[in-house]
Amino acid sequence: MKKGTGLLLAMFIHGLLFQTAFAQEERKAVVPLPSLDDFTRGEDGWAFGLGVGVEYESAYEGSDEYDFEVDPAGAVQWRRGNHIVYWAGEALGWRGLPAEKWLLEAAVGFDEGREESDSDEGHLDGLGDGDEGVELVLQARRAFGTDWRYWLDGRVVAGENGTLGLLGVGYRFGDKWDGTGHEIAFAVVFHDSDYANKDFGINAEQSAASGLDETDLSGGYRSVGFNYNYRQYVAENWQIFAEAVYEYYSSDIQDSPIARSDYEAEVGVGFIYVF
């Protein structure tokens, strides 16, 4: 073999190996969406992320009172191939890829419920505290391509206090496979009558105690919303994140005396140390 031909062949093979190694290095997250935290760095076994986030959000569903809240952030995760079991806050769950373009997720969480004291201005006086309860969350996402540039989302939240459903579509910016970058999503939300009245209904007893009109909502369309997520490594182990949420309520919810605003909005930022 001529020296020049051998050199070109060696360079070609090296390029293929480099591209393969680079692709493997980049494809670290099970699904490269910033909304799905993945601290495993592409490796099987345990992974930990611990940090804090600051949110500016409404005091309760439908409130026109806003305040800052500081919450812990991060998760404990265990990965095996394209499957992750995680514990994050008050949720224990699993997510995985049964196929390259399909993400399935199941989690059990805890709904703390609304408290009468959530309103500093006394708008909830006489309504009492809402019921706490366990919730089951089931989610399926379907990508339009293997790069997860565009995707569809379906989600069901079912628990002791009713059922909520979501249908959405999202878009991922950037080309990284480590779960960092930007992501936007739009969604339509539905609920049954139990879930609707959990947040916005007023029974006869509550009406008598609060002076608000008795309100009984039926199930159906709840809201349309927008969600933005950002996640980025600023050092080898330090990650920053940000989120913005906007939800515009249906006319039925807007007519409830509890809904003092036609929408709900939330913004948050924070950091996480990945061990």
Side-chain angles (χ1 to χ4, degrees), residues 13-171:
I13 294 175
H14 176 75
L16 286 179
L17 293 175
F18 177 79
Q19 290 177 5
T20 302
F22 181 76
Q24 292 174 345
E25 180 182 355
E26 283 295 297
R27 189 163 183 161
K28 294 179 179 179
V30 171
V31 178
L33 300 180
S35 57
L36 303 173
D37 51 15
D38 187 338
F39 307 131
T40 64
R41 301 180 186 272
E43 299 179 358
D44 287 352
W46 291 99
F48 305 89
L50 181 63
V52 65
V54 179
E55 298 178 342
Y56 185 69
E57 59 183 356
S58 61
Y60 55 89
E61 299 282 348
S63 174
D64 59 355
E65 302 172 54
Y66 283 80
D67 203 354
F68 288 96
E69 182 174 343
V70 179
D71 292 310
V76 178
Q77 301 174 340
W78 183 83
R79 178 170 178 171
R80 178 66 65 189
N82 285 329
H83 303 271
I84 291 179
V85 177
Y86 62 88
W87 173 55
E90 297 177 335
L92 176 65
W94 159 87
R95 72 170 65 107
L97 290 178
E100 194 169 16
K101 298 179 183 179
W102 278 99
L103 168 73
L104 300 181
E105 183 167 6
V108 177
F110 182 74
D111 180 9
E112 296 180 349
R114 186 186 64 207
E115 297 183 359
E116 189 174 303
S117 59
D118 285 344
S119 174
D120 292 335
E121 298 180 9
H123 297 311
L124 300 177
D125 290 354
L127 297 180
D129 294 342
D131 293 333
E132 301 175 342
V134 177
E135 295 180 330
L136 174 65
V137 181
L138 301 175
Q139 180 178 197
R141 294 194 186 190
R142 174 64 161 84
F144 289 97
T146 56
D147 59 356
W148 282 84
R149 180 70 58 211
Y150 298 91
W151 45 265
L152 295 174
D153 187 17
R155 196 177 313 171
V156 175
V157 180
E160 302 170 71
N161 298 317
T163 302
L164 176 144
L166 177 150
L167 295 174
V169 60
Y171 177 80

Side-chain angles (χ1 to χ4, degrees), residues 194-210:
D194 289 337
Y195 205 98
N197 286 294
K198 173 180 75 75
D199 296 324
F200 300 102
I202 302 172
N203 59 34
E205 182 180 352
Q206 291 173 322
S207 177
S210 66

